Amino acid sequence: MVLLALMQANSAVLDVAANVAAVEEAARAASAEGAQLLLTPELFPVGYAPIRLRAAFDPATLPALRAALAGVARRHRIALVYSLPAVTPAGEWRISATLVDESGEELLRYEKVHLFGPDEREAFAAAREAPDVVEFHGFKTSLVICYDIEFPESARAAALRGAELLLVPTALAGGFDAVPEVLVRARALENQLTVAYANHTGVEAGCEFRGGSIVAGPDGSVLAAAGPGVELLFADVGVPADAAEDAAEHGADAAVAYLRDRRPELYRAWGI
């Protein structure tokens, strides 16, 4: 059993000190409640403003910022997922997410594959690497970012690598309620894993966010859901994907073994 905490908050664009302080306060509160992991929204430490970030954010500060966030995890003895810009050796800017453990050691890093909208596509380059999987408190755990979860292939790639818990920092603007209410739950159900999806709230660089962070279980059920405002959301996660597969053998009303019953050779013949 893992107690997850999801931070839903308003980030101050380019006010890194204020945003790191907000993450620290959320980490302190989450740890006090016994949470083993805090999931924060997409680009929260710098604010979600792709064009402004590309123009004004200094990537030379990234090592110190990563060290500061690792320090938050270490001080409060809680694992942390944070999202930041990343710059490749070739000079491409990407959107990244990182999982560090309670000692601040990096366990996993992922870069966003599906960029949303003209601002992201102008400021960042899309990555190509599939999500990796690591062991975390007994769960095989993976990362994708925001728009990635709206594509079945991203979550399926993590699931086929054994993921049981998929952590998703996001920056979902208002007007797309079907994403947390329908798609996140569908990704969880069809891949028989738990999906945790943490969003911003409030206005950042003219973009209005309305929260709606959610944790969906492997059967598509809602384990926890946030409202539109600032919130620290908690969810107990205790049903890995293999338990759902075992349940499928014990009655018609149990979980359907989607991963087991796939026919990839047929799909390849179909050209997909």
Side-chain angles (χ1 to χ4, degrees), residues 16 20 23 43 45-46 57-75 80-88 92-101 103-112 124 143 145:
V16 172
V20 171
V23 172
L43 294 175
V46 294
F57 180 73
D58 181 2
T61 65
L62 283 169
L65 180 49
R66 289 184 178 276
L69 292 163
V72 169
R74 189 164 50 249
R75 279 190 295 279
L80 175 67
V81 173
Y82 62 80
S83 172
L84 289 173
V87 181
T88 71
E92 287 187 339
W93 284 50
R94 295 180 177 178
I95 299 174
S96 74
T98 300
L99 167 63
V100 298
D101 67 14
S103 68
E105 292 297 314
E106 183 174 314
L107 299 180
L108 187 62
R109 191 180 299 190
Y110 170 82
E111 293 176 342
K112 191 173 184 178
F124 297 103
L143 294 167
I145 301 172

Side-chain angles (χ1 to χ4, degrees), residues 178-193:
V179 176
E181 294 173 4
V182 178
L183 290 184
V184 169
R185 295 180 65 184
R187 295 296 94 86
L189 174 61
E190 69 196 4
N191 293 293
Q192 299 178 319
L193 45 68

Side-chain angles (χ1 to χ4, degrees), residues 98-221:
T98 300
L99 167 63
V100 298
D101 67 14
E102 58 271 17
S103 68
E105 292 297 314
E106 183 174 314
L107 299 180
L108 187 62
R109 191 180 299 190
Y110 170 82
E111 293 176 342
K112 191 173 184 178
V113 170
H114 301 93
L115 299 177
F116 181 81
D119 286 2
E120 281 194 12
R121 295 188 185 103
E122 181 177 339
F124 297 103
R128 299 178 58 87
E129 295 78 14
D132 286 332
V133 175
V134 296
E135 194 79 17
F136 175 79
H137 285 261
F139 284 80
K140 294 176 182 177
T141 302
S142 191
L143 294 167
V144 298
I145 301 172
C146 195
Y147 197 35
D148 288 326
I149 199 65
E150 299 179 42
F151 293 83
E153 294 83 357
S154 295
R156 180 56 52 87
L160 292 179
R161 286 163 174 79
E164 298 165 334
L165 175 61
L166 185 59
L167 304 171
V168 189
T170 195
L172 182 75
F176 297 94
D177 294 347
V179 176
E181 294 173 4
V182 178
L183 290 184
V184 169
R185 295 180 65 184
R187 295 296 94 86
L189 174 61
E190 69 196 4
N191 293 293
Q192 299 178 319
L193 45 68
T194 297
V195 179
Y197 181 87
N199 195 21
H200 296 246
T201 187
V203 177
E204 299 171 30
C207 187
E208 182 183 1
F209 300 101
R210 301 177 189 170
S213 300
I214 188 171
V215 182
D219 59 355
S221 63

Side-chain angles (χ1 to χ4, degrees), residues 1 15 150:
M1 182 74 70
D15 191 342
E150 299 179 42

